[in-house]
Amino acid sequence: MHADAKEAVKYFDQMRIEHGFAELLSVEEFNDPGNGYLVNDCCVFGAEVFVIQPSTGSEETLTMVKDLDDSTYTWSIKDFSNLNEDDQYSDAFTVGGREWKLNLCLKGYKSGKDKYLSLFIWLQDCEKLVPKEKVYAKYKLRILDHSQVKTIEKTDSKWFDTKEGWGFHNLIPLKELSNGYLGKDTLTVEVEFDVISVIKVRT
């Protein structure tokens, strides 16, 4: 009896160490002397195996999360007018199983220097990424208007694989901050994640 059933190639690895047939032959057929499977209370089993050498290339797996719990993080910076350091950092927060941090440049950065407020997001735990692993995020960065009328919002998407911030150099002109964005000398910024995905490469 041959039981190949025109099967597709089966792959063996650390997670899949065996393959076979759950219903190879009925007990009645096996015990029927006329079929010749059982002779003198003895049966011979065999397997014909063709081995295909594994590819030497890489295998990528993508995990994507769209319905994120606690996808929004809000950061309120108090005593804004008395801050001395140009670079301000939020506490670390977790979204999509990853740690993130916001970075606010009070006097702008690069093209926004001395003219705009700049806001960036960092993957805080990037040192935990394995080689060739990277994280994709689609997100919105906001500066909230305390009157809830003129909220500034910009959307971006980036791949994160190093400790480098991504965001906007020219988020809002510095001269406009006094127009409703500094209620009680407090600036409130926010990030909302739409999608987070992770690519892992196995060689």
Side-chain angles (χ1 to χ4, degrees):
M1 177 183 180
H2 291 80
D4 57 21
K6 297 183 179 179
E7 283 286 326
V9 174
K10 296 293 186 180
Y11 295 90
F12 293 83
D13 56 27
Q14 292 178 337
M15 299 297 295
R16 295 163 291 189
I17 61 174
E18 62 181 36
H19 288 288
F21 301 91
E23 299 178 356
L24 180 62
L25 182 68
S26 71
V27 175
E28 290 78 10
E29 288 182 277
F30 178 75
N31 289 325
D32 187 342
N35 290 328
Y37 297 118
L38 195 61
V39 178
N40 296 326
D41 203 28
C42 181
C43 180
V44 177
F45 293 90
E48 186 176 22
V49 179
F50 297 91
V51 178
I52 300 175
Q53 294 299 323
S55 170
T56 57
S58 300
E59 176 183 321
E60 290 189 356
T61 59
L62 173 66
T63 303
M64 181 174 292
V65 182
K66 289 186 177 180
D67 298 323
L68 297 163
D69 294 329
D70 300 323
S71 61
T72 301
Y73 175 78
T74 304
W75 177 30
S76 294
I77 303 101
K78 298 180 179 180
D79 296 323
F80 185 83
S81 60
N82 295 320
L83 296 175
N84 296 319
E85 296 292 332
D86 185 22
D87 275 329
Q88 298 291 321
Y89 293 90
S90 72
D91 293 333
F93 57 93
T94 301
V95 176
R98 295 288 177 178
E99 287 190 358
W100 306 86
K101 182 174 284 191
L102 290 175
N103 169 214
L104 184 69
C105 298
L106 304 184
K107 297 181 180 179
Y109 182 71
K110 288 189 175 180
S111 62
K113 188 68 175 176
D114 296 324
K115 296 180 181 179
Y116 289 85
L117 195 73
S118 302
L119 182 61
F120 306 97
I121 185 167
W122 297 67
L123 179 62
Q124 180 68 12
D125 61 353
C126 64
E127 68 277 359
K128 296 181 181 179
L129 297 176
V130 300
K132 297 184 180 181
E133 181 181 12
K134 52 186 177 180
V135 178
Y136 168 84
K138 182 179 180 182
Y139 53 88
K140 301 182 183 75
L141 290 175
R142 304 185 182 107
I143 295 182
L144 302 184
D145 172 23
H146 287 264
S147 64
Q148 298 182 344
V149 176
K150 299 178 293 183
T151 293
I152 301 294
E153 177 182 288
K154 292 188 178 182
T155 301
D156 200 7
S157 58
K158 293 293 182 184
W159 287 100
F160 295 80
D161 56 2
T162 60
K163 202 164 188 178
E164 180 179 7
W166 294 102
F168 301 97
H169 298 162
N170 309 324
L171 189 57
I172 183 175
L174 294 174
K175 61 183 180 181
E176 290 188 15
L177 289 177
S178 58
N179 297 331
Y181 298 100
L182 289 174
K184 297 182 180 180
D185 202 25
T186 297
L187 181 73
T188 303
V189 300
E190 193 171 79
V191 59
E192 180 182 355
F193 290 87
D194 294 325
V195 178
I196 293 178
S197 61
V198 179
I199 280 187
K200 294 183 179 181
V201 179
R202 185 176 66 178
T203 56

PDB file of all heavy atoms in Angstrom, residues 26-38:
ATOM      1  N   SER A  26      -7.836   1.173   7.717  1.00  0.00           N
ATOM      2  CA  SER A  26      -8.775   0.753   8.759  1.00  0.00           C
ATOM      3  C   SER A  26      -8.295  -0.542   9.407  1.00  0.00           C
ATOM      4  O   SER A  26      -7.582  -1.349   8.791  1.00  0.00           O
ATOM      5  CB  SER A  26     -10.173   0.546   8.165  1.00  0.00           C
ATOM      6  OG  SER A  26     -10.199  -0.601   7.344  1.00  0.00           O
ATOM      7  N   VAL A  27      -8.670  -0.743  10.665  1.00  0.00           N
ATOM      8  CA  VAL A  27      -8.281  -1.952  11.397  1.00  0.00           C
ATOM      9  C   VAL A  27      -8.848  -3.193  10.717  1.00  0.00           C
ATOM     10  O   VAL A  27      -8.192  -4.244  10.639  1.00  0.00           O
ATOM     11  CB  VAL A  27      -8.769  -1.858  12.861  1.00  0.00           C
ATOM     12  CG1 VAL A  27      -8.487  -3.167  13.605  1.00  0.00           C
ATOM     13  CG2 VAL A  27      -8.099  -0.690  13.573  1.00  0.00           C
ATOM     14  N   GLU A  28     -10.069  -3.095  10.176  1.00  0.00           N
ATOM     15  CA  GLU A  28     -10.688  -4.240   9.511  1.00  0.00           C
ATOM     16  C   GLU A  28      -9.881  -4.666   8.292  1.00  0.00           C
ATOM     17  O   GLU A  28      -9.633  -5.864   8.069  1.00  0.00           O
ATOM     18  CB  GLU A  28     -12.128  -3.900   9.102  1.00  0.00           C
ATOM     19  CG  GLU A  28     -13.106  -3.769  10.266  1.00  0.00           C
ATOM     20  CD  GLU A  28     -12.964  -2.435  10.990  1.00  0.00           C
ATOM     21  OE1 GLU A  28     -12.240  -1.539  10.486  1.00  0.00           O
ATOM     22  OE2 GLU A  28     -13.574  -2.294  12.072  1.00  0.00           O
ATOM     23  N   GLU A  29      -9.475  -3.702   7.479  1.00  0.00           N
ATOM     24  CA  GLU A  29      -8.671  -4.028   6.296  1.00  0.00           C
ATOM     25  C   GLU A  29      -7.321  -4.610   6.692  1.00  0.00           C
ATOM     26  O   GLU A  29      -6.802  -5.531   6.056  1.00  0.00           O
ATOM     27  CB  GLU A  29      -8.466  -2.778   5.445  1.00  0.00           C
ATOM     28  CG  GLU A  29      -9.701  -2.296   4.704  1.00  0.00           C
ATOM     29  CD  GLU A  29      -9.395  -1.079   3.859  1.00  0.00           C
ATOM     30  OE1 GLU A  29      -9.401   0.035   4.414  1.00  0.00           O
ATOM     31  OE2 GLU A  29      -9.128  -1.254   2.654  1.00  0.00           O
ATOM     32  N   PHE A  30      -6.734  -4.050   7.739  1.00  0.00           N
ATOM     33  CA  PHE A  30      -5.426  -4.508   8.181  1.00  0.00           C
ATOM     34  C   PHE A  30      -5.468  -5.963   8.650  1.00  0.00           C
ATOM     35  O   PHE A  30      -4.568  -6.764   8.358  1.00  0.00           O
ATOM     36  CB  PHE A  30      -4.925  -3.603   9.312  1.00  0.00           C
ATOM     37  CG  PHE A  30      -3.599  -4.009   9.880  1.00  0.00           C
ATOM     38  CD1 PHE A  30      -2.425  -3.779   9.175  1.00  0.00           C
ATOM     39  CD2 PHE A  30      -3.521  -4.632  11.121  1.00  0.00           C
ATOM     40  CE1 PHE A  30      -1.196  -4.162   9.703  1.00  0.00           C
ATOM     41  CE2 PHE A  30      -2.300  -5.015  11.655  1.00  0.00           C
ATOM     42  CZ  PHE A  30      -1.131  -4.775  10.941  1.00  0.00           C
ATOM     43  N   ASN A  31      -6.541  -6.333   9.364  1.00  0.00           N
ATOM     44  CA  ASN A  31      -6.645  -7.684   9.929  1.00  0.00           C
ATOM     45  C   ASN A  31      -7.184  -8.715   8.944  1.00  0.00           C
ATOM     46  O   ASN A  31      -7.139  -9.917   9.222  1.00  0.00           O
ATOM     47  CB  ASN A  31      -7.538  -7.658  11.177  1.00  0.00           C
ATOM     48  CG  ASN A  31      -6.859  -6.969  12.355  1.00  0.00           C
ATOM     49  OD1 ASN A  31      -5.644  -7.077  12.519  1.00  0.00           O
ATOM     50  ND2 ASN A  31      -7.641  -6.263  13.166  1.00  0.00           N
ATOM     51  N   ASP A  32      -7.693  -8.277   7.811  1.00  0.00           N
ATOM     52  CA  ASP A  32      -8.248  -9.209   6.822  1.00  0.00           C
ATOM     53  C   ASP A  32      -7.104  -9.972   6.150  1.00  0.00           C
ATOM     54  O   ASP A  32      -6.284  -9.380   5.438  1.00  0.00           O
ATOM     55  CB  ASP A  32      -9.042  -8.431   5.782  1.00  0.00           C
ATOM     56  CG  ASP A  32      -9.795  -9.352   4.821  1.00  0.00           C
ATOM     57  OD1 ASP A  32      -9.443 -10.549   4.735  1.00  0.00           O
ATOM     58  OD2 ASP A  32     -10.716  -8.853   4.145  1.00  0.00           O
ATOM     59  N   PRO A  33      -7.015 -11.316   6.354  1.00  0.00           N
ATOM     60  CA  PRO A  33      -5.914 -12.106   5.772  1.00  0.00           C
ATOM     61  C   PRO A  33      -5.842 -11.994   4.260  1.00  0.00           C
ATOM     62  O   PRO A  33      -4.760 -12.101   3.663  1.00  0.00           O
ATOM     63  CB  PRO A  33      -6.240 -13.535   6.210  1.00  0.00           C
ATOM     64  CG  PRO A  33      -7.117 -13.385   7.406  1.00  0.00           C
ATOM     65  CD  PRO A  33      -7.923 -12.140   7.155  1.00  0.00           C
ATOM     66  N   GLY A  34      -6.995 -11.771   3.631  1.00  0.00           N
ATOM     67  CA  GLY A  34      -7.008 -11.692   2.179  1.00  0.00           C
ATOM     68  C   GLY A  34      -6.276 -10.485   1.627  1.00  0.00           C
ATOM     69  O   GLY A  34      -5.913 -10.460   0.443  1.00  0.00           O
ATOM     70  N   ASN A  35      -6.040  -9.480   2.453  1.00  0.00           N
ATOM     71  CA  ASN A  35      -5.356  -8.275   1.977  1.00  0.00           C
ATOM     72  C   ASN A  35      -3.838  -8.393   2.069  1.00  0.00           C
ATOM     73  O   ASN A  35      -3.111  -7.590   1.482  1.00  0.00           O
ATOM     74  CB  ASN A  35      -5.822  -7.053   2.772  1.00  0.00           C
ATOM     75  CG  ASN A  35      -7.260  -6.677   2.440  1.00  0.00           C
ATOM     76  OD1 ASN A  35      -7.710  -6.862   1.307  1.00  0.00           O
ATOM     77  ND2 ASN A  35      -7.984  -6.150   3.423  1.00  0.00           N
ATOM     78  N   GLY A  36      -3.358  -9.364   2.838  1.00  0.00           N
ATOM     79  CA  GLY A  36      -1.925  -9.637   2.871  1.00  0.00           C
ATOM     80  C   GLY A  36      -1.079  -8.705   3.705  1.00  0.00           C
ATOM     81  O   GLY A  36       0.154  -8.739   3.613  1.00  0.00           O
ATOM     82  N   TYR A  37      -1.709  -7.856   4.533  1.00  0.00           N
ATOM     83  CA  TYR A  37      -0.905  -6.952   5.363  1.00  0.00           C
ATOM     84  C   TYR A  37      -0.318  -7.670   6.574  1.00  0.00           C
ATOM     85  O   TYR A  37       0.768  -7.320   7.047  1.00  0.00           O
ATOM     86  CB  TYR A  37      -1.754  -5.763   5.848  1.00  0.00           C
ATOM     87  CG  TYR A  37      -2.257  -4.882   4.724  1.00  0.00           C
ATOM     88  CD1 TYR A  37      -3.624  -4.727   4.498  1.00  0.00           C
ATOM     89  CD2 TYR A  37      -1.367  -4.210   3.891  1.00  0.00           C
ATOM     90  CE1 TYR A  37      -4.092  -3.927   3.473  1.00  0.00           C
ATOM     91  CE2 TYR A  37      -1.831  -3.414   2.858  1.00  0.00           C
ATOM     92  CZ  TYR A  37      -3.191  -3.271   2.647  1.00  0.00           C
ATOM     93  OH  TYR A  37      -3.649  -2.490   1.630  1.00  0.00           O
ATOM     94  N   LEU A  38      -1.039  -8.654   7.078  1.00  0.00           N
ATOM     95  CA  LEU A  38      -0.627  -9.369   8.285  1.00  0.00           C
ATOM     96  C   LEU A  38      -0.405 -10.836   7.922  1.00  0.00           C
ATOM     97  O   LEU A  38      -1.340 -11.560   7.595  1.00  0.00           O
ATOM     98  CB  LEU A  38      -1.704  -9.238   9.365  1.00  0.00           C
ATOM     99  CG  LEU A  38      -1.326  -9.611  10.790  1.00  0.00           C
ATOM    100  CD1 LEU A  38      -0.183  -8.725  11.291  1.00  0.00           C
ATOM    101  CD2 LEU A  38      -2.535  -9.462  11.711  1.00  0.00           C
TER     102      LEU A  38
END
